[in-house]
Amino acid sequence: YFWYDAQNFGLLSEDLKTAYKINLLTGTVSLQEVTSESARLLDSDWIHGLSITSDNNGGYSFDDMWSPENSKDKNFTAHRKSDWDGITVINNLTNEIIWDLTTPKDVYINEYSWSPANNNLLAYIQGKPDPIAIDFIVIDVSLNIIDVITGKIQASYSGDFGRIEWSPDGKMILFQNTASLYSNYGVGFLDAPCILFLNSNEKKCLRSIPKRIPEEYELASTGIYKWD
């Protein structure tokens, strides 16, 4: 999934040959052919999220994106700790640690993402493994937005968050529900994408894929969504 702009997001077909552009206000869906050259950097078997760039002719190029480490202005770099039990943010101008988080015992950082509209804001997801699950499904998931300069939590949301991506204006976050048959440590989502509106705390999803289906069938989304 990917943002086109503040009013449109998109997703790619499973064969990486078609981009679907969805307008949030009207619900209108338009299609655009994706050339093999524009998708050459993608691995259809291992895509966490997409970054998109446009050219002067209206064409797009796609690349894999997963927990980008640098803020938009490149002044700050975030690193997830080796045991996934925290995040450290470094000021690249001074090489000093300006914010450090260590999570409580058995709570892990699943992913993180910098705001494209405010260089100081970092969103991160934390949760703990379900003790009775065999697929490392995470429970008690929260999405938190931190100001790395002040160290203050700007907002915290509870829910099944995964594969987060900010809208270009920093007012919405696109995500996928993490309630699935597989691990939500960055892969294995089965649900369609949802949008969190940060100003109102409202969440809206495109659709929901049934959790229970006959054993002889397999039903899953491609997991490739982006803002246009």
Side-chain angles (χ1 to χ4, degrees), residues 7 20 32 48-49 60 79 83-84 98 102 130 135 153 158 181 186:
Q7 300 298 332
Y20 299 85
Q32 181 177 2
H48 308 291
Y60 298 98
H79 298 286
D83 292 330
W84 290 34
I98 60 169
T102 298
D130 187 338
D135 296 317
I153 295 286
S158 297
L181 299 179

Side-chain angles (χ1 to χ4, degrees), residues 140-194:
D140 296 339
V141 178
S142 66
L143 168 63
N144 306 286
I145 300 176
I146 182 80
D147 185 320
V148 298
I149 296 297
T150 65
K152 294 182 178 180
I153 295 286
Q154 302 297 301
S156 184
Y157 310 91
S158 297
D160 290 323
F161 295 105
R163 289 184 178 176
I164 56 173
E165 183 170 345
W166 296 77
S167 62
D169 61 6
K171 295 181 179 180
M172 296 173 285
I173 290 181
L174 186 66
F175 69 95
Q176 282 183 269
N177 192 311
T178 58
S180 72
L181 299 179
Y182 302 106
S183 166
N184 61 351
Y185 279 89
V187 295
F189 299 91
L190 293 181
D191 280 342
C194 303

